[in-house]
Structures are given as structure tokens and as C-alpha cells.
Amino acid sequence: MTTGTRRRMGVEERRQQLIGVALELFSHRSPEDVSIDEIATAAGISRPLVYHYFPGKLSLYEAALRRAADELAERFVEPHEGPLGARLLRVTGRFFGFVDEHGPGFSALMRGGPAVGSSTTNALIDSVRQAAYEQIIAHLGISAPSPRLELVVRSWISLAESTALIWLDGRRVPRAELELQLVHDFAALAAVSAAYDPEMADLLAGLLANEPADGPFADLLTRLAALAPAATLPS
């Protein structure tokens, strides 16, 4: 019979393990409710050893948020192939997948959690938003976005955040419906902006011209057309 021996971890390997353990715990419970003792137990080490790698819970929390932010930003990466509506739908699916898997952790990232107002947390949140913004602009094929286009994209990202946070409070709307609705929201924001700006109108026309009849954007037009007979327009 052979007896296994516990392998000694290097400093960086142990740090990454602790970050992973903390993120897993934060993903299921509010970070305020997770103690250093619980993190130490889950990692199989002593409480003092946790403090050897991180000076306090806040520094470990910020490191876990940094990893969560990096993972969330990666969810917005999508090949630039096929209709935009389908691409956005895949992105929102992965975004809500992250939200679903890491509910409390996502809330902590977006709301700041124990580190609310800290420069580190604010920078992490901004980095996720900027990564999402740059990905969407790249998918639109625009090198120098106009002020109205920037407003549309950043407004949509903010809407996605708030929608996800509200959805986490009970998950009362089917996730798949919200994912599709967010894609529709993007088209709606772009359409409203197009009504005021010829450049946005040209961009929207180009996007819709490449959308298939069974795509998310066409689905929105069908839903709106069904409402038209019931709408009363001012004379």
C-alpha cells in the first residue's frame, strides 16, 4: 500500500488556488458572508497561511473580482462571422451564462461588494464595460464611432448590466427570453438613434440588409408589425 503525499505549491500557484476558492465561494454567497476561515478550510490550509499570501480579505476579494472580470470580458469575444443579430444573441447567451453561474459574484462585481467605491473595483468594472464596448464596435466594423453610436452601445451595455442584476432577484423571467430581448433592445436603441441621425440610419440599414428572415432582428420587426393594427397614431 502506498501513501500519497501532499505536493507543496509554489507561491503563485497557491495564490491562484486561493483566488479560485474565494471566487467559487463568492459565486454562491455574498462576499460579506464568506469568512477567511471558510476560504482557508476550502483551500486545505490554515488561516494564518491565507494571510501569508494576501494581507487581508479585501485584497483576496479584489483578486477574485479581477479574475471574474477577466472571465466576464472574455464572454464578449465572438468571431466576426455571420449576421450581427445571431452574434449578439450568442454573446448575450454567454453573458447570462456567467451571471447564472456566478450570481452573487456578478452582483459584487457590478455593485462593488465589500470594496464599493474603491479605485480597484471601479477600474475592474470599467475594464469589463470597455472590453464589451470595443467588441461591439468591432463587430459593427466601425473604426471611429460617432457620438450617437457610442451612446447606443454604451447604453445597451448598461441595460444588459441592470437587466442581469434585476433578473438575479428571483429569475422571474425565462433566461432565453431575456437574452433575445436584449438583442431586440440593441436594435431598438439603434433605430431610435437612426430616426435622429442620417449616419446612424445608414448604419442600421446596412445591418438589417444582411439579416436573415429567421434572425433576431427580423423577429423583432415581426413582433412590432403584429402590434401595428392595435396602435393608435395621433392624427
Side-chain angles (χ1 to χ4, degrees):
M1 179 177 178
T2 59
T3 302
T5 58
R6 181 179 295 179
R7 182 174 62 87
R8 184 180 181 87
M9 291 186 182
V11 173
E12 185 57 28
E13 186 179 7
R14 177 66 76 183
R15 280 179 55 84
Q16 294 304 317
Q17 183 218 15
L18 286 170
I19 292 170
V21 167
L23 183 57
E24 178 64 21
L25 291 172
F26 295 156
S27 294
H28 296 93
R29 289 160 55 205
S30 173
E32 291 92 336
D33 298 332
V34 178
S35 68
I36 287 292
D37 287 332
E38 289 179 271
I39 295 171
T41 299
I45 62 176
S46 66
R47 175 189 175 96
L49 195 53
V50 175
Y51 286 110
H52 174 73
Y53 293 99
F54 294 93
K57 180 178 173 180
L58 180 59
S59 64
L60 178 53
Y61 170 77
E62 289 180 343
L65 283 191
R66 184 172 293 106
R67 180 180 292 185
D70 290 343
E71 182 180 342
L72 181 55
E74 289 175 1
R75 301 288 176 111
F76 288 93
V77 178
E78 170 73 20
H80 294 192
E81 300 171 357
L84 179 65
R87 284 183 258 164
L88 286 179
L89 189 57
R90 288 192 291 270
V91 167
T92 55
R94 288 196 299 272
F95 170 71
F96 266 91
F98 180 92
V99 172
D100 207 2
E101 296 162 19
H102 306 286
F106 175 79
S107 294
L109 175 62
M110 292 296 112
R111 291 174 173 150
V116 62
S118 78
S119 59
T120 299
T121 303
N122 290 338
L124 288 173
I125 296 171
D126 287 343
S127 71
V128 174
R129 291 169 177 157
Q130 184 62 25
Y133 171 77
E134 291 174 359
Q135 284 293 327
I136 300 303
I137 291 298
H139 279 286
L140 294 172
I142 304 296
S143 57
S146 67
R148 287 188 183 274
L149 178 57
E150 180 174 359
L151 180 61
V152 165
V153 176
R154 293 198 185 278
S155 296
W156 183 71
I157 292 169
S158 295
L159 178 60
E161 288 178 21
S162 59
T163 298
L165 288 170
I166 294 170
W167 178 74
L168 281 172
D169 185 17
R171 293 173 167 83
R172 290 166 291 180
V173 178
R175 174 180 150 183
E177 288 184 17
L178 279 186
E179 292 170 7
L180 179 60
Q181 183 177 314
L182 272 175
V183 177
H184 289 171
D185 288 334
F186 181 88
L189 286 169
V192 170
S193 184
Y196 290 86
D197 182 67
E199 185 177 349
M200 282 297 301
D202 290 341
L203 175 63
L204 182 62
L207 294 177
L208 294 179
N210 296 319
E211 290 295 311
D214 59 349
F217 291 164
D219 177 65
L220 174 61
L221 294 176
T222 300
R223 291 172 185 266
L224 292 176
L227 296 175
T232 302
L233 298 177
S235 57

